[in-house]
Each structure stands twice: as C-alpha cells, then as structure tokens.
Amino acid sequence: METSTSASPAGGFFPSFLLLAFGTLVAALLGAAHHLGLFYQLMHKVDKASIRHGGENVAAVLRAHSVRFVFTLVGGHISPLLVACEKLGIRVVDTRHEGTAVFAADAVARLTGTVGVAAVTAGPGLTNTVTAVKNAQMAQSPVLLLGGAASTLLQNRGALQAIDQMSLFRPLCKFCASVRRVRDIIPTLRAAMAAAQSGTPGPVFVELPIDVLYPYFMVQKEMVPAKPPKGLIGRGVSWYLENHLANLFAGAWEPQPEGPLPLDIPQASPQQVQHCVEILSRAKRPLMLLGSQAVLPPTPADKLRAAVETLGVPCFLGGMARGLLGRNHPLHIRQNRSAALKKADVVVLAGMVCDFRLSYGRVFSCSSKIIVVNRNWKEMLINSDMFWKPQEAVQGDVGSFVVKLVQGLQGQTWASDWAEELRQADHQKEQTFREKALMPVAQHLNPVRVLQLVEETLPDNSVLVVDGGDFVGTAAHLVQPRGPLRWLDPGAFGTLGVGAGFALGAKLCRPDAEVWCLFGDGAFGYSLIEFDTFVRHKIPVIALIGNDAGWTQISREQVPSLGSNVACGLAYTDYHKAAMGLGAQGLLLSRESEDQVIKVLRDAQQQYQDGHSVVVNILIGRTDFRDGSIAV
C-alpha cells in the first residue's frame, strides 16, 4: 500500500507536464500563425492580379474628409499617393522645400478650420519638416504629415533614407502611427484626422512604408526572388517572404468606411460658465484677451464677433483672432496692453496663455481676478504657481465659452469711461507713431512711414502674412488686418521662414483675396526660392521686403549690450532682381522714389491682378521705433 501511494504523484506528474508542454506548443504555434497573418489570410482575399495601390486608399480618405490640397516635395517613396490624389481631383502643390509644404498645410488648417495635409518622402524629406511641424504644434494647428518610409522588411537594415522616423515625431505630434498593411491605411488615417482636430488641435504623423503604397506586382518583384531557391533554408526564406507579401495585401481592397470620425471637443460646464458670469458681472474695469483658440471650429468667427460686440468689454486680439472686430472698432484696443492689464480688475484670457508674450503672468495686477479658458489644461495654467493665480480655470472650447458667457450676461453694461480711457491711450500712442513716421533716417526710407502707407493701400479683402523680426514687429503696431482669419504669423515659436508656405496656403484657400506678405530681409532668404513655386503653379502673391541690410532685431540688443554687430550684417541685396530671375515681377523702392511709394504699391497690385507674383524690395533705414524690444 505504501509503495503504491508513494508512486502515485510521479505517475500523475508526467501526463500533466506533457499536457502543459503540448498546450504551450499549441499556443505558441497559434500565436505565430496569428503574427504571420495566416488566420486573416484564410478569410480575406489577396488579389494578385489587381493593379490598385495603397496610394488610392490614402487619397480616398483625404477626399472623404474634404481635403482640397496636398502640399509636397516629390519622392519615390510617396509617388503613388500623389498620383492617386491628382486622379481624385485633390490639387497637388509641390514646393522647393519640405518645410514650405508643411507651412502651407498649416495655413490651410488655420484659415479653414480643417486639417491641412503635407506629404514628404522618407529620411531627409521628413527631417526637413521638423521645424515646421514643431511650429504647428506650438500654434495648435491640425496638420496631417504623411511620410514615406523604407519597406516594412528593410527597416533597420540600412535601406536608402531609412531612419527611426517614429521616434523623431512622437514628441512633436499628438498621434503617430506606422502603417504595416494596406488594409490598415484607411482606419489609421481616419483616426489621425480625428486626433488632429480633437481636444487641443495639433499635428499628427502617419508613416507609409513604400511597400504599402505600391501595387502588388511591383512589391512582389522587389520582395520575392524570381527563381525558386534551392535548399531547405532558401525555401523557408522564400515562404516567409511570400507570406509577408500576402499579409501586406490581404483584404486590401475590401470596402471600409472612409469618412470622418466624431471629434472630441471639450466644453465648459454650466456651473463654470455661471461662476464666470458672476465674477464678470461685478467688474468695473473688465478686459478680454482673445487668442487663436477663440476662432477654432465649431464657433464661426462672425458668431464670435457678434458675441464680443454684445458683451461690450474692451479687447486685445492676438494670433488668428487679429482682425476679429475689423478695423477701428471701438472695443478693439491695440496699444499699451501691459498698462491696461495692470489697471483691469477682471481679465478674461480666452485662448491666451501666460508665456513670454504676457511676461509669464507678471503683467497682471495682484488684485485682478483672472478667468482663463483654454482647451489645454497644462498650457492654461502655465506659470500660475509663480506669478499669477486664476480665479476660475475653465478647460473647454474658447469660442463656445465666450458665446455662453455673453448669454449669461445679457443686459449687463459697463461704465463707458473705462473703454474711453483705453482708447485715449491708444490715440496718444498712435500720435507718437505719426511723429516717428516724419522723422528723417540716415539713409533710404523711414519704415514707419512706409508701413503707414501700406496700411492705407491694403484692400478690405487682403490676407496678411508676416515673416520677420524688426520690420514685422513694427508692422504689428501699424498694419491692421481687415477681418477675422486674415492674419498669419508664426505663433509662439517665433519661426522665421513661414512666409512663402503661409502665403501659398492662404492664396489657395482665399483665391479672391489679395495675399500680402511682409518680410524682413533676413527672413526673406528662406522664402526666395519658393517664388519659383508661385510662378509654376500660377499662384500670385505680393511680397514687401523691409530691406535694412541686417538682422536688426538682434543687432538692436547685441550692439549696445555686447559692443559688436558680428553676424548681424547683411547687404542691400537686389531681392527684386532675384525674384525676377525666378519668373516673378520685381519692383524697387528707395529714397529716390520716396514720393512714389503709393504708386509703386498700386503697380504691384495691378501686376498681381494680372496674375503675377510681385516682390517689392523696399530699402529702409533704421529708427528708434522698437528700441528696448527684446529678441530673446
């Protein structure tokens, strides 16, 4: 009995071990079969005779999302998607630098409220976009970047232009995905488009390896050996390659939904809105600062404008909100923002944040009650632990919040003396501008006077693009956008080189508008070659270059502080002649034509209306208009 009892556990162990081992083996085989796509291939067809390609799936999704333009610099990795877009009526606009393509997509996103799209080739094509993508991230622009890549089998094996692109773009984009099979193109792009517009808008990146974009027969030719290999290992490798190819294309052309997914846009709660209504209703000197987020969808700009006018609170406008109230509106205060903020008892930051533009929050009075509304919780509270504290912090869509706030304050009025005080300060500051415009400069033209004449010349339908330092900084005080969504600047990143791309996107979105680009001569160096793009694609723009032969915004601080102008000097280059060499029209303004400024600007408009891009090279001297401005 004892022997039989002691042998029993050993007798039960081996069958259990074998069962466990068998189960583990089966699970491993099933896992391998799933990983290799064998189960999926049992149920979904691989159409080996089809000449369709993955680029067609990309184009179908873009068309279903009402994308009208794709900006690119061509490369073999992405050719199929460009050809497919052209066939579906999506205009493909090729630029001379990949960064320009992304800047153009950014402009489309800002002006239309939809996703702007750029497509670039692998490796250096993508690395050339990094600055533009970062600029879109900081400006909160919904941009879709489509990037080519080495084939799925050759990544990390030294293929042409193959790098770890995903690691590069994860810190820059809200959504990053690498498509590994043709059937995944459509759902991945739909998810990317929704992510770009949901929450806080921003750029997204989808990597498209070359073998998911080209047709089956071309991929097969490159991937599978023409002659069957000999030997067990050779046949095993051949089977693996053929299976990989089948898995790439299994179910590739089965119908899938292509249209937009629902967006997730945060909204302020009724309780938060009511609390803000109570705070603002007790204000004596209220002030509102409206930033780019205020003009995001779903609230139309004209509805937001009506709400702001009904509210009756004096406003400062920044970013894409510039021009919201048109020209010379009594509620729009343009100058002396810091002084006004010190006097205000309630400040509504509607899409504005306390970064360097608001001196990190130090511009507020300690006694001010601050209401801040923003889609981004972290950004909304930046520096609130150091220099300021919000009375109410609302995470939600800015435009919708302002409309609800106004509805809660119906019938509320504020004493007119507060707005009148701010307007008087505006008038005094503008009088100093007029006086500075009359001051002689050592050589060439006074830039303040030139910009005042530009302001008088701009038509009501103009869109302003600004790219530069000192000249553009001066223009921001003197030149007024004619309406909402008619001003494009880099945003918080302060990027030089946005001009040509922004102008390209703006003119395509607003074909009936006059697109005026105000360039510093330093910044224009980034955009000059793109006048070839404007000419080839028959997309006219007007460029005004404030040419003071230097990086003046830097030298203003560097020379008095450090005693040297090193690296700040440029030349009074004939940029207008360089543009003429690219097929554009070129005009020159200098002291010899001081009384002809308006005439030359009118000539530029006429040539623009005749379908030409025009570069006006304006030789300017230096003034003390921006002395004390900080360039860091």
Side-chain angles (χ1 to χ4, degrees), residues 104-133:
D106 187 338
V108 169
R110 298 190 198 193
L111 293 178
T112 65
T114 59
V115 178
V117 180
V120 300
T121 198
L126 275 161
T127 58
N128 278 346
T129 70
V130 168
T131 296
V133 173

Side-chain angles (χ1 to χ4, degrees), residues 11 13 17 49 117 203 214 293 359 435 450 452 495 536 580 583 621:
F13 170 77
F17 174 77
V117 180
Y214 276 82
Q293 273 198 20
S359 191
E435 293 169 0
V450 169
Q452 286 181 338
T495 309
R536 283 186 296 108
M580 291 169 68

Side-chain angles (χ1 to χ4, degrees), residues 44 142 152 164 190 270 291 386 422 477 503 540 552:
H44 299 272
T152 53
D164 183 2
R190 294 177 76 210
M386 297 178 64
L422 297 175
H477 289 280
T552 304

